[in-house]
Amino acid sequence: VSVALRSLEPRDLLAVGELAAADALPGPPEAIADRLGSELLAGAMWGLVAERAGRLEGAAVVETDGPGRGRVTVAVAGEARRSGIGAALAMAVAESARGRGRHKLVATCAPGDRAALGLARSVGAGAEALLRRHRRTAGGGLEDLVALGLVLVPAPHRGGRA
Amino acid sequence: MRVRRAVPEDAPALAELFAAVVDEGGFVLTEPPLDIPIWAERVAHSIASGEATILACEDAGGTLLGHLGIHPVAEPGVAEVGINIAAHARGLGAGRALMEAGAGTARALGLHKLMLEVFPENLVAVALYAAGGWEVEGRFAAHHRRADGALRDVLVMALALEPADAPPV
């Protein structure tokens, strides 16, 4: 059975919350679903889901990070990892963002998250900053994050003075 | 010179000062002209609701010299800082006073980190922040789109509010 990508719809929110709560976004599934639902209603979020035989196996959520900029979170079900679903979602979401007139996508991941870094590299995203002692862990410590960026417009449109 | 917490009634003066900085161009992301009444209303709401903490720096006569905003971001314990100093007050220590007070206020709020974005060309601001212990964490390429379509890079700088050897809270 092949995987199909389609736009995220309100009926997907709880399943996306469950996927994301596993490791991608903080908070319980219901809280994530509520937050994303509010953003979806306000037009501040969109996304894609990957479905196989009616079961949601992955999602890419793009939340507004600033004018023309989206913050991406990709989550894939544990048993569906290493199957290419994450890469397919990342590539599709980048293409969709271009079509929506976005100029940049950003994301964060842990410095040691080789899967996320590899996924980012596969779509042309690069590390732009090391956010030191940024995220509070469940144990109370602070961990670094890597800030990733993917510029979606050609170089001639970049630059300019304030 | 003194730094104090701004109250909603300060919003019109905060907006006037910010509009003047915006009109100078080159320092802030916001482009002129600033809609002063709308911005003032938004700031008054942010202060009243606790969404943001604004500090005001004023001279002995009560004239506003500058202001600093602490705006929590989605990451718990982290906030973004925005600072604006009136042109006539630059070089007199208002920026440094606000940055020091901002760090103290952020600690009191329980934050563990402050962040800000600054144009790489704004060397005076970068130096001010570095003198206060802020460190460059990276450069966001083509991050902000101007009204004319040009994309601007920004440096991201951060101030750790919790010592590396501090016990977990």
Side-chain angles (χ1 to χ4, degrees):
Chain A
V1 181
S2 63
V3 173
L5 301 188
R6 61 168 175 80
S7 294
L8 183 152
E9 297 172 10
R11 64 185 165 96
D12 301 317
L13 287 169
L14 188 55
V16 171
E18 285 167 355
L19 274 181
D23 65 354
L25 291 173
E30 295 80 7
I32 294 171
D34 282 350
R35 180 169 64 78
L36 294 180
S38 300
E39 292 180 8
L40 188 63
L41 203 62
M45 186 278 277
W46 53 278
L48 299 172
V49 296
E51 217 171 29
R52 189 199 309 262
R55 185 174 178 278
L56 204 137
E57 294 202 331
V61 169
V62 185
E63 298 174 81
T64 299
D65 184 64
R69 220 170 46 239
R71 176 168 297 280
V72 182
T73 303
V74 176
V76 177
E79 64 277 15
R81 289 179 190 162
R82 299 179 181 275
S83 67
I85 286 179
L89 280 166
M91 278 189 274
V93 93
E95 199 49 45
S96 180
R98 278 192 187 91
R100 291 165 182 260
R102 304 294 194 272
H103 70 268
K104 188 173 185 183
L105 292 176
V106 299
T108 55
C109 72
D113 188 344
R114 293 170 65 180
L117 291 168
L119 184 61
R121 269 196 298 272
S122 73
V123 295
E128 295 190 321
L130 178 62
L131 309 178
R132 288 181 283 270
R133 299 175 54 72
H134 194 79
R135 175 164 291 171
R136 179 78 65 193
T137 65
L142 291 170
E143 66 181 7
D144 297 349
L145 289 180
V146 176
L148 302 159
L150 175 64
V151 179
L152 299 168
V153 295
H157 294 284
R158 297 168 56 179
R161 267 184 60 81
Chain B
M1 178 183 305
R2 70 162 185 149
V3 176
R4 63 171 174 82
R5 288 272 189 118
V7 294
E9 291 70 28
D10 291 317
L14 298 172
E16 290 285 351
L17 190 153
F18 184 52
V21 174
V22 168
D23 283 344
E24 289 182 72
F27 294 124
V28 293
L29 298 171
T30 306
E31 296 182 70
L34 183 76
D35 189 324
I36 294 175
I38 287 182
W39 199 86
E41 191 180 334
R42 198 178 302 153
V43 168
H45 173 75
S46 294
I47 297 170
S49 66
E51 279 173 23
T53 302
I54 312 287
L55 303 180
C57 179
E58 55 193 16
D59 66 15
T63 300
L64 186 66
L65 303 176
H67 53 83
L68 177 145
I70 301 171
H71 307 270
V73 299
E75 189 69 43
V78 181
E80 233 171 39
V81 163
I83 182 169
N84 296 285
I85 308 296
H88 67 84
R90 289 177 198 149
L92 304 176
R96 189 176 301 263
L98 278 167
M99 294 302 284
E100 287 175 4
T105 302
R107 281 193 184 91
L109 291 170
L111 301 173
H112 67 261
K113 185 174 182 180
L114 290 176
M115 302 185 72
L116 59 80
E117 293 178 1
V118 58
F119 290 132
E121 303 84 357
N122 193 350
L123 299 177
V124 173
V126 173
L128 169 70
Y129 305 143
W134 291 67
E135 294 182 353
V136 174
E137 294 196 323
R139 181 175 178 134
F140 292 161
H143 205 64
H144 294 282
R145 181 155 55 195
R146 309 286 293 180
D148 65 2
L151 297 175
R152 299 288 309 274
D153 291 6
V154 287
L155 295 181
V156 55
M157 298 184 74
L159 179 70
L161 299 170
E162 190 176 301
D165 56 357
V169 294

